[in-house]
Amino acid sequence: MVFLLLAVLSACSEPPYGNLDNAQLQTMLQDKVPLYDIRRAEEWRQTGVIQGSQLLTFVDAGGRVKPDFLNRFTSAVGKDDAVILICRTGNRTSTLARYLVEQMGYTQVFNVRHGITRWISDDRPIKKL
């Protein structure tokens, strides 16, 4: 019972990372904060990507973390560097952002709240692959 209560309360609390809407994302991109698109290659081809995105797949189609993901990410992004994460709807990036902050000590992680789907539905520019 206590575990269930803690789980519910933690789900209601503010996340330990920042959430961005499209206007905030645009501002951070203009400030040259790196954006990591963590979707799979077929997703990038299907929708396109935001110009300048770093493409680095987080999980495979079965939901398993790619073996080289963390090494590649941590070698490119310092723990105190600002970084933005984007996926299709914000679910994968929310999970990853929480892990990076709570388990790995990253201090400036930002999640695009509704992912690339909201970016596209707001008629923002996309680069086709």
Side-chain angles (χ1 to χ4, degrees):
M1 183 68 165
V2 172
F3 176 74
L4 180 60
L5 179 60
L6 289 174
V8 169
L9 290 176
S10 69
C12 296
S13 66
E14 287 294 312
Y17 52 86
N19 274 310
L20 304 176
D21 61 23
N22 282 339
Q24 293 165 317
L25 171 58
Q26 185 68 50
T27 298
M28 291 187 80
L29 291 174
Q30 289 169 347
D31 290 341
K32 307 289 188 226
V33 176
L35 171 64
Y36 278 80
D37 189 324
I38 66 163
R39 297 176 298 149
R40 294 181 307 279
E42 64 270 16
E43 293 176 286
W44 300 326
R45 287 189 298 272
Q46 181 183 32
T47 63
V49 299
I50 296 174
Q51 182 72 35
S53 297
Q54 303 297 313
L55 307 180
L56 182 60
T57 300
F58 175 43
V59 295
D60 65 20
R64 293 174 297 273
V65 175
K66 299 284 279 182
D68 64 339
F69 176 81
L70 279 177
N71 284 338
R72 290 181 61 197
F73 184 85
T74 58
S75 68
V77 181
K79 290 192 179 193
D80 293 318
D81 295 343
V83 64
I84 306 164
L85 305 173
I86 193 167
C87 65
R88 186 172 58 86
T89 61
N91 290 328
R92 283 173 278 183
T93 50
S94 178
T95 299
L96 176 58
R98 182 174 298 277
Y99 180 81
L100 290 171
V101 171
E102 292 180 345
Q103 303 298 317
M104 299 194 68
Y106 278 78
T107 60
Q108 295 190 71
V109 179
F110 298 91
N111 172 49
V112 179
R113 187 184 308 266
H114 298 289
I116 196 83
T117 57
R118 177 67 56 89
W119 182 265
I120 293 168
S121 71
D122 285 353
D123 205 27
R124 303 275 184 151
I126 289 293
K127 174 186 169 190
K128 289 292 188 178
L129 298 182

